């Protein structure tokens, strides 16, 4: 199964499981770990605000409809989160335009949100379009495809409008598009696992991990709330603990090992502890943290899949 890796220069390399050299895997893992830590050290108060279920579901549906690689969907989510935080920060730190009524508090903010609400669907699509262009082996959404798709879902726009939106997002991101995303972490970790444990059924784990990652992404709020309760042993954690926990909800390395652990548990309970031990060895994340993530995710999978019963 061919997978892809992005080196620091953005060049894409396609390899099969167990074909990557030890040095290459080490470089990728070290680079991902470094970028993950840098991200966790620079989180804003709005981190995760644009990763709600409806938005992520919308992006997943767009990528599916346009036959894009799943990686593009997760990449688009990261681009959207980064762009919107930057864009809103700029909008609300810009001096209020002359003529704005001083005796109407909130009127400028309301006007900003009203205008943004009109542009938001196109901004979301622009993030998907940009993400599609980051992979050398995926369909790329050109402007003709973009206009046709947007028309099909009720948004009448021109090619010029699509281009302007794409440029706005590009400038807002300062043309830095090579952002790590959760699926990238899952893929790299599976490659390392395949190297360290050649008997690991990584091909089957990969397919199942895709489903688990999508489930966790769409059930993000519920899953991480349960993880917070489990970690703090407090049913109603105080605000301070919830604010500190954002470093856990945004930790892509933890999410990556957690997703693989859940997939391993579903695939083969008898080998689960061995997989968890190896993932802990690879990343330095404790087996307890991986086990807690696995437990709460499996609990939500069971709850979601079980039919409601009346008493």
């Amino acid at each position: 199964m061919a997978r892809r890796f992005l080196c620091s220069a953005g060049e894409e390399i396609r390899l099969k499981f167990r074909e990557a050299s030890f040095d290459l895997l080490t470089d990728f893992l070290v680079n991902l770990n470094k970028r993950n830590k840098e991200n966790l050290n620079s989180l804003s108060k709005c981190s995760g605000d644009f990763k709600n279920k409806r938005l992520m579901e919308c992006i997943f549906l767009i990528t599916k409809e346009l036959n894009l690689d799943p990686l593009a969907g997760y990449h688009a989510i990261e681009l959207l989160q980064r762009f919107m935080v930057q864009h809103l920060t700029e909008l609300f730190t810009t001096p209020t335009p002359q003529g704005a009524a001083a005796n109407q508090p909130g009127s400028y903010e309301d006007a900003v949100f009203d205008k943004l609400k009109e542009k938001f669907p196109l901004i979301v699509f622009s993030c998907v379009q940009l993400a599609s262009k980051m992979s050398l082996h995926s369909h790329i959404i050109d402007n003709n495809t973009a206009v046709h798709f947007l028309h099909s879902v009720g948004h009448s726009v021109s090619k010029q409008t699509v281009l302007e939106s794409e440029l706005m997002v590009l400038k807002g991101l300062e043309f830095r598009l090579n952002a790590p995303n959760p699926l990238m972490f899952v893929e790299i970790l599976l490659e390392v696992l395949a190297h360290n444990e050649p008997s690991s059924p990584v091909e089957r784990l990969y397919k199942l991990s895709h489903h688990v990652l999508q489930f966790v992404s769409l059930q993000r709020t519920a899953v991480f709330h349960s993880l917070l309760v489990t970690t703090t042993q407090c049913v109603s954690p105080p605000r301070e603990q919830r604010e500190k926990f954002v470093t856990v909800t945004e930790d892509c390395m933890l999410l990556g090992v957690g997703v693989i652990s859940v997939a391993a548990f579903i695939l083969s309970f008898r080998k689960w502890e061995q997989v968890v031990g190896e993932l802990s060895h690879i990343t330095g994340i404790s087996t307890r943290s991986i086990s807690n993530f696995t437990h709460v995710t499996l609990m939500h999978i069971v709850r979601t899949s079980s039919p409601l019963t009346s008493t």
Side-chain angles (χ1 to χ4, degrees):
M1 178 183 295
R3 299 311 314 144
R4 65 236 154 231
F5 294 103
L6 289 174
C7 66
S8 57
E11 180 183 358
E12 191 175 83
I13 305 172
R14 291 180 70 80
L15 298 166
K16 293 182 178 180
F17 284 127
R18 301 181 181 85
E19 289 189 357
S21 70
F22 175 77
D23 290 340
L24 185 60
L25 286 176
T26 300
D27 287 344
F28 281 130
L29 190 61
V30 169
N31 183 50
L32 273 185
N33 188 50
K34 178 183 177 182
R35 297 179 71 179
N36 187 53
K37 287 182 177 179
E38 289 174 351
N39 179 56
L40 295 178
N41 289 332
S42 59
L43 293 175
S44 73
K45 293 181 179 180
C46 301
S47 294
D49 285 0
F50 293 91
K51 295 181 180 179
N52 64 65
K53 182 177 180 178
R54 289 185 64 187
L55 262 178
M56 297 180 86
E57 191 172 40
C58 174
I59 289 174
F60 289 151
L61 288 173
I62 292 173
T63 56
K64 183 177 181 180
E65 182 68 23
L66 294 174
N67 296 315
L68 300 178
D69 190 304
L71 192 74
Y74 291 99
H75 197 161
I77 291 165
E78 298 301 321
L79 296 182
L80 178 65
Q81 172 66 40
R82 285 173 48 207
F83 171 76
M84 288 306 300
V85 170
Q86 179 66 24
H87 191 52
L88 287 172
T89 300
E90 289 179 357
L91 288 174
F92 289 113
T93 54
T94 301
T96 305
Q98 290 185 352
N103 60 347
Q104 295 181 15
S107 60
Y108 175 62
E109 288 80 0
D110 291 342
V112 167
F113 279 118
D114 285 341
K115 187 174 182 179
L116 187 59
K117 185 165 61 176
E118 295 176 5
K119 297 192 298 182
F120 190 65
L122 188 52
I123 290 173
V124 173
F125 188 83
S126 293
C127 290
V128 176
Q129 187 173 15
L130 288 169
S132 77
K133 296 178 180 180
M134 291 300 292
S135 174
L136 299 179
H137 298 277
S138 179
H139 294 293
I140 293 177
I141 307 174
D142 58 27
N143 287 341
N144 287 325
T145 303
V147 169
H148 178 75
F149 176 81
L150 289 166
H151 281 191
S152 72
V153 293
H155 297 288
S156 182
V157 295
S158 65
K159 291 182 184 180
Q160 182 64 28
T161 302
V162 170
L163 179 61
E164 289 173 356
S165 177
E166 189 177 17
L167 286 173
M168 179 181 70
V169 174
L170 265 174
K171 291 177 181 178
L173 293 170
E174 298 178 336
F175 296 88
R176 293 182 295 188
L177 303 181
N178 192 18
N181 65 73
L183 182 54
M184 188 183 296
F185 279 79
V186 170
E187 293 185 346
I188 296 295
L189 288 168
L190 281 172
E191 287 285 352
V192 178
L193 183 63
H195 181 276
N196 291 1
E197 293 290 338
S199 62
S200 300
V202 289
E203 289 81 6
R204 295 172 66 192
L205 280 174
Y206 176 75
K207 291 180 180 179
L208 192 51
S209 293
H210 260 278
H211 295 295
V212 175
L213 179 58
Q214 187 173 87
F215 175 86
V216 174
S217 299
L218 295 177
Q219 300 294 329
R220 172 187 170 89
T221 301
V223 168
F224 280 108
H225 174 73
S226 295
L227 186 59
L228 174 59
V229 170
T230 298
T231 303
T232 61
Q233 293 294 299
C234 179
V235 177
S236 300
R239 180 178 179 180
E240 182 180 354
Q241 285 184 322
R242 285 186 278 114
E243 290 178 347
K244 289 182 178 179
F245 200 70
V246 71
T247 57
V248 176
T249 64
E250 296 300 312
D251 189 340
C252 283
M253 192 67 80
L254 173 63
L255 180 57
V257 297
V259 164
I260 296 171
S261 174
V262 172
F265 187 96
I266 295 172
L267 192 61
S268 177
F269 174 75
R270 287 177 296 178
K271 294 185 178 181
W272 174 70
E273 289 187 356
Q274 178 184 348
V275 172
V276 170
E278 187 58 40
L279 290 172
S280 177
H281 173 72
I282 292 169
T283 63
I285 297 173
S286 70
T287 56
R288 181 177 180 179
S289 295
I290 300 173
S291 297
N292 285 343
F293 186 99
T294 305
H295 171 75
V296 299
T297 303
L298 288 168
M299 178 183 68
H300 281 282
I301 290 174
V302 171
R303 286 180 178 176
T304 304
S305 60
S306 299
L308 294 175
T309 56
S310 57
T311 56

